[in-house]
Amino acid sequence: HGVLDKEGASVALAAYQLGQMAESDLNYAEAMRMYKKAVVLEEDNPEYLLAAGKMAREMAEFKQAQDWLEHLLEIREAEGDSAELGDALHELVWLHKVLGRYSAAEPLCLRAVAVKEQALGKDHPDVAKVLHNLAGLYKREGKYTEVEPLFLRALAVKERHFGKEHPSVAGTLNNLGVFYSEQDRLAEAESLYLRSLEIREKYLGKEHLDVAESLANLALLNRKKEKYIEAEKLYLRSLAIREAVLGKEHPRLALTINNLAELYRLQERYAEAEPLLHRSLHIREDKLGKD
């Protein structure tokens, strides 16, 4: 804090490190402010561009995220193939996926897998992370036969490297659960969701965004099973966490709000459903654009 009003590399480093501290405290708005300061001071620093690009995506500042991540990719491509180039590609994949640009995301993701495998070997957890994302991308594109093998391969690599109770393992369990739920394999999905939630609450705390994701997925599963009271409790808890961390106008909230409204619609609680649908629509139009 003492050097933030000065100029030069030490100030950029201080801002970056304060951003890391704010991010670990789930203070994403402050993290965004600090990362942005670091990038303004050192616009060609790959570490700062990566952190700022990821946080801008989290905070739904998508144009800014794309500018930073594309600049990062230019820098890493000039350096040649490396694990760091794979990281830059992977972050752009996430951004395109969030914005529904699946045709743009897939070739970047396949390239990220190839670069990471070449740099690190096929059994490295960073490779598993990209495989996990590729599986999610194929699921969105309806390439269902390719999804489960990728998730299972990613899960096996992560469990070997991290053990069976690691937050990264929980992420793959959660997303494999989503796939099973969408295939109406509800018993398998529920088992994975509960295991993922237990790991996340234990190691990340009960107010973490990843916990909110697990809660929302469990809520949807309970809605499918017509356990409406339990589903409502889970949706409300997930929504409260996301509002506390991301604010009330973030696209991630819109999905939970929309799903809660659908729960109310199924119960013919129309007066409660309608304002939630209007709120979800407003957030999505504002943050993602009307098209």
Coordinates of all heavy atoms in Angstrom, one line a residue, residues 192-223:
L192 N -22.3 -37.8 -7.2 CA -21.1 -36.9 -7.6 C -21.3 -35.5 -7.0 O -20.3 -34.9 -6.5 CB -20.9 -36.9 -9.1 CG -20.5 -38.2 -9.7 CD1 -20.5 -38.0 -11.2 CD2 -19.2 -38.7 -9.2
Y193 N -22.5 -35.0 -7.1 CA -22.7 -33.6 -6.5 C -22.5 -33.6 -5.1 O -21.8 -32.6 -4.6 CB -24.2 -33.2 -6.8 CG -24.6 -32.8 -8.2 CD1 -25.9 -32.9 -8.6 CD2 -23.6 -32.3 -9.1 CE1 -26.2 -32.5 -9.9 CE2 -24.0 -31.9 -10.4 CZ -25.3 -32.0 -10.8 OH -25.6 -31.6 -12.0
L194 N -22.9 -34.5 -4.3 CA -22.8 -34.5 -2.9 C -21.3 -34.7 -2.5 O -20.8 -34.0 -1.6 CB -23.6 -35.7 -2.2 CG -25.1 -35.4 -2.3 CD1 -25.8 -36.7 -1.8 CD2 -25.5 -34.2 -1.4
R195 N -20.6 -35.5 -3.2 CA -19.1 -35.7 -2.9 C -18.4 -34.4 -3.3 O -17.5 -33.9 -2.5 CB -18.6 -36.8 -3.8 CG -17.1 -37.2 -3.5 CD -16.6 -38.3 -4.3 NE -15.2 -38.3 -4.4 CZ -14.5 -38.9 -5.4 NH1 -15.1 -39.6 -6.3 NH2 -13.1 -38.8 -5.4
S196 N -18.8 -33.7 -4.4 CA -18.1 -32.5 -4.8 C -18.4 -31.4 -3.7 O -17.5 -30.6 -3.3 CB -18.7 -32.0 -6.1 OG -18.2 -30.8 -6.5
L197 N -19.7 -31.3 -3.3 CA -20.1 -30.3 -2.3 C -19.3 -30.5 -1.0 O -18.8 -29.5 -0.4 CB -21.6 -30.3 -2.1 CG -22.1 -29.4 -1.0 CD1 -21.9 -27.9 -1.4 CD2 -23.6 -29.6 -0.8
E198 N -19.2 -31.7 -0.6 CA -18.5 -32.0 0.7 C -17.0 -31.5 0.6 O -16.5 -30.9 1.6 CB -18.5 -33.5 1.0 CG -17.9 -33.9 2.3 CD -17.9 -35.4 2.6 OE1 -18.4 -36.1 1.7 OE2 -17.5 -35.8 3.6
I199 N -16.4 -31.8 -0.5 CA -15.0 -31.4 -0.7 C -14.9 -29.9 -0.7 O -14.0 -29.3 0.0 CB -14.4 -32.0 -2.0 CG1 -14.3 -33.5 -1.9 CG2 -13.0 -31.4 -2.2 CD1 -14.0 -34.1 -3.3
R200 N -15.7 -29.2 -1.4 CA -15.7 -27.8 -1.5 C -15.9 -27.1 -0.2 O -15.2 -26.1 0.1 CB -16.7 -27.3 -2.6 CG -16.2 -27.6 -4.0 CD -17.2 -27.4 -5.1 NE -16.6 -27.3 -6.4 CZ -17.2 -27.1 -7.6 NH1 -18.5 -27.1 -7.6 NH2 -16.5 -27.0 -8.7
E201 N -16.9 -27.5 0.5 CA -17.2 -26.9 1.8 C -16.1 -27.1 2.8 O -15.7 -26.2 3.5 CB -18.5 -27.4 2.4 CG -19.8 -26.9 1.7 CD -21.1 -27.4 2.3 OE1 -21.1 -28.5 3.0 OE2 -22.1 -26.7 2.2
K202 N -15.5 -28.2 2.7 CA -14.4 -28.6 3.7 C -13.1 -27.7 3.4 O -12.5 -27.2 4.3 CB -14.1 -30.1 3.6 CG -13.0 -30.5 4.5 CD -12.8 -32.0 4.4 CE -11.7 -32.5 5.4 NZ -11.5 -34.0 5.3
Y203 N -12.8 -27.6 2.1 CA -11.5 -27.0 1.8 C -11.6 -25.5 1.3 O -10.6 -24.8 1.4 CB -10.8 -27.8 0.7 CG -10.3 -29.1 1.2 CD1 -11.0 -30.3 1.0 CD2 -9.2 -29.2 2.0 CE1 -10.6 -31.5 1.5 CE2 -8.7 -30.4 2.5 CZ -9.5 -31.6 2.3 OH -9.1 -32.8 2.8
L204 N -12.8 -25.1 0.9 CA -12.9 -23.7 0.4 C -13.8 -22.9 1.3 O -13.7 -21.6 1.2 CB -13.5 -23.7 -1.0 CG -12.8 -24.5 -2.1 CD1 -13.6 -24.6 -3.4 CD2 -11.4 -23.9 -2.3
G205 N -14.5 -23.5 2.2 CA -15.5 -22.7 3.0 C -16.9 -22.7 2.4 O -17.0 -22.8 1.2
K206 N -17.8 -22.4 3.3 CA -19.2 -22.5 2.9 C -19.7 -21.3 2.1 O -20.9 -21.4 1.6 CB -20.1 -22.8 4.1 CG -19.8 -24.1 4.8 CD -20.9 -24.5 5.8 CE -20.7 -25.9 6.3 NZ -21.7 -26.3 7.3
E207 N -18.9 -20.3 2.0 CA -19.4 -19.1 1.2 C -18.6 -18.9 -0.1 O -18.6 -17.8 -0.6 CB -19.2 -17.8 2.1 CG -19.9 -17.9 3.5 CD -21.4 -18.2 3.3 OE1 -22.0 -17.5 2.5 OE2 -21.9 -19.0 4.1
H208 N -18.0 -19.9 -0.6 CA -17.2 -19.9 -1.8 C -18.1 -20.0 -3.1 O -19.1 -20.7 -3.0 CB -16.2 -20.9 -1.8 CG -15.1 -20.7 -2.8 ND1 -15.2 -21.1 -4.1 CD2 -13.8 -20.2 -2.7 CE1 -14.1 -20.8 -4.8 NE2 -13.2 -20.3 -3.9
L209 N -17.7 -19.4 -4.2 CA -18.5 -19.5 -5.4 C -18.6 -20.9 -5.9 O -19.6 -21.3 -6.5 CB -17.8 -18.6 -6.5 CG -18.1 -17.1 -6.4 CD1 -17.3 -16.4 -7.5 CD2 -19.5 -16.8 -6.5
D210 N -17.6 -21.7 -5.7 CA -17.7 -23.1 -6.1 C -18.7 -23.9 -5.3 O -19.4 -24.8 -5.9 CB -16.3 -23.8 -6.0 CG -15.3 -23.4 -7.1 OD1 -15.7 -22.6 -7.9 OD2 -14.2 -23.8 -7.0
V211 N -18.9 -23.5 -4.1 CA -20.0 -24.1 -3.2 C -21.3 -23.7 -3.8 O -22.2 -24.5 -3.9 CB -19.8 -23.7 -1.8 CG1 -21.0 -24.1 -0.9 CG2 -18.5 -24.3 -1.2
A212 N -21.4 -22.4 -4.2 CA -22.7 -22.0 -4.8 C -23.0 -22.7 -6.0 O -24.2 -23.1 -6.3 CB -22.6 -20.5 -5.1
E213 N -22.0 -23.1 -6.8 CA -22.3 -23.9 -8.1 C -22.8 -25.2 -7.7 O -23.8 -25.7 -8.3 CB -21.0 -24.0 -8.8 CG -21.1 -24.8 -10.1 CD -19.7 -25.0 -10.8 OE1 -18.8 -25.3 -10.1 OE2 -19.7 -24.9 -12.0
S214 N -22.2 -25.9 -6.7 CA -22.6 -27.2 -6.3 C -24.1 -27.2 -5.8 O -24.9 -28.1 -6.1 CB -21.7 -27.8 -5.2 OG -20.5 -28.2 -5.8
L215 N -24.4 -26.2 -5.0 CA -25.7 -26.0 -4.4 C -26.8 -25.8 -5.6 O -27.8 -26.4 -5.5 CB -25.8 -24.8 -3.5 CG -25.0 -25.0 -2.2 CD1 -24.9 -23.6 -1.5 CD2 -25.6 -26.0 -1.3
A216 N -26.4 -25.0 -6.5 CA -27.3 -24.8 -7.7 C -27.6 -26.0 -8.5 O -28.7 -26.3 -8.9 CB -26.8 -23.7 -8.6
N217 N -26.6 -26.8 -8.7 CA -26.7 -28.1 -9.4 C -27.6 -29.1 -8.6 O -28.4 -29.8 -9.2 CB -25.4 -28.7 -9.8 CG -24.7 -27.9 -10.8 OD1 -25.3 -27.2 -11.6 ND2 -23.4 -27.9 -10.9
L218 N -27.3 -29.1 -7.3 CA -28.2 -30.0 -6.5 C -29.6 -29.6 -6.5 O -30.5 -30.4 -6.5 CB -27.6 -30.0 -5.1 CG -26.6 -31.1 -4.7 CD1 -26.0 -30.9 -3.3 CD2 -27.3 -32.5 -4.7
A219 N -29.8 -28.2 -6.5 CA -31.2 -27.7 -6.5 C -31.9 -28.1 -7.8 O -33.0 -28.6 -7.8 CB -31.1 -26.2 -6.4
L220 N -31.2 -28.0 -8.9 CA -31.8 -28.4 -10.2 C -32.1 -29.9 -10.2 O -33.2 -30.3 -10.7 CB -30.8 -28.1 -11.4 CG -31.3 -28.5 -12.8 CD1 -32.7 -27.8 -13.1 CD2 -30.3 -28.1 -13.8
L221 N -31.3 -30.7 -9.6 CA -31.5 -32.2 -9.6 C -32.8 -32.4 -8.7 O -33.6 -33.3 -9.0 CB -30.3 -32.9 -9.0 CG -30.4 -34.4 -9.0 CD1 -29.0 -35.0 -9.5 CD2 -30.7 -35.0 -7.6
N222 N -32.9 -31.7 -7.6 CA -34.0 -31.9 -6.7 C -35.3 -31.4 -7.4 O -36.4 -32.0 -7.2 CB -33.8 -31.2 -5.4 CG -33.0 -32.0 -4.4 OD1 -33.6 -32.9 -3.7 ND2 -31.8 -31.7 -4.2
R223 N -35.2 -30.4 -8.2 CA -36.3 -29.9 -9.0 C -36.8 -31.0 -10.0 O -38.0 -31.3 -10.1 CB -36.0 -28.7 -9.7 CG -37.2 -27.9 -10.3 CD -36.7 -26.7 -11.1 NE -36.4 -27.1 -12.5 CZ -35.8 -26.3 -13.3 NH1 -35.4 -25.1 -12.9 NH2 -35.6 -26.7 -14.6

